[in-house]
Amino acid sequence: MSKPIYILNGPNLNRLGTREPEIYGRTTLVEVEALCRGAAAGHPLVFRQSNREYELIEWVHEAIDEACGVIINPAAFTFTSMAIMDALKMFPGPIIELHISNIHRREQIYHKSYVSPVATAVIAGLGTDGYPTAVRSMLDMISRTTKAG
Ligand code: DHK
């Protein structure tokens, strides 16, 4: 059985669909999870959301032992959390940092990510379509590493 891909979502993303739809769109987090499972084509996924920083850190620790890859939308913790950055540093597999909006086109406070320096790749600005895109990219990265042995 393949190890699952962990998809972790940070604060306020539980309000996706009604939260600032002009920035984040009208797709709900439940619908985003379904998009991810569709793109995973049967590869196991663990899909979670929390407004608590410590919980996201606990899930990254869990992923160190359980996951083949991590896709993380740290939301506002992107710009504040060295703790999440330090946790991700310990993850041995590929990490995709994901943002629904193009953070680099937004206000200055959204420009410096603590996660990007430890991520394999960053996806930003594709809207919620960024999630299934990240899943497909993660599957490609995993199959490449598996082939490389
Ligand atoms: C989501 C958030 O909640 C913001 O704090 C980030 C990110 C952007 C997103 O685009 O998914 O700045």
Side-chain angles (χ1 to χ4, degrees):
M1 178 70 162
S2 320
K3 281 188 167 186
I5 296 168
Y6 273 47
I7 303 177
L8 304 179
N9 296 281
N12 304 305
L13 291 169
N14 54 310
R15 308 294 297 188
L16 213 49
T18 55
R19 174 198 180 198
E20 298 176 274
E22 68 286 357
I23 298 174
Y24 302 108
R26 295 210 173 275
T27 306
T28 67
L29 197 62
V30 170
E31 291 163 341
V32 166
E33 180 175 356
L35 290 171
C36 292
R37 293 194 185 282
H43 190 102
L45 289 185
V46 170
F47 189 98
R48 297 185 185 152
Q49 185 277 334
S50 178
N51 298 326
R52 305 174 193 83
E53 185 177 13
Y54 82 86
E55 204 159 30
L56 290 160
I57 293 163
E58 298 277 331
W59 292 340
V60 172
H61 291 177
E62 184 186 307
I64 290 166
D65 305 317
E66 307 295 333
C68 60
V70 170
I71 296 168
I72 185 164
N73 182 344
F77 291 148
T78 306
F79 319 102
T80 61
S81 183
M82 288 182 64
I84 290 175
M85 174 186 75
D86 286 345
L88 289 167
K89 273 184 193 164
M90 296 184 278
F91 183 73
I95 297 167
I96 296 178
E97 174 188 352
L98 173 62
H99 300 285
I100 296 164
S101 65
N102 179 352
I103 56 175
H104 303 292
R105 212 167 69 177
R106 299 182 63 183
E107 303 92 308
Q108 184 64 33
I109 50 169
Y110 294 115
H111 293 178
K112 180 178 174 343
S113 165
Y114 279 101
V115 173
S116 298
V118 299
T120 313
V122 180
I123 294 176
L126 295 180
T128 47
D129 288 346
Y131 281 88
T133 302
V135 171
R136 286 187 290 272
S137 303
M138 183 62 78
L139 290 172
D140 290 347
M141 284 196 264
I142 293 161
S143 66
R144 275 201 297 274
T145 41
T146 314
K147 284 199 194 87

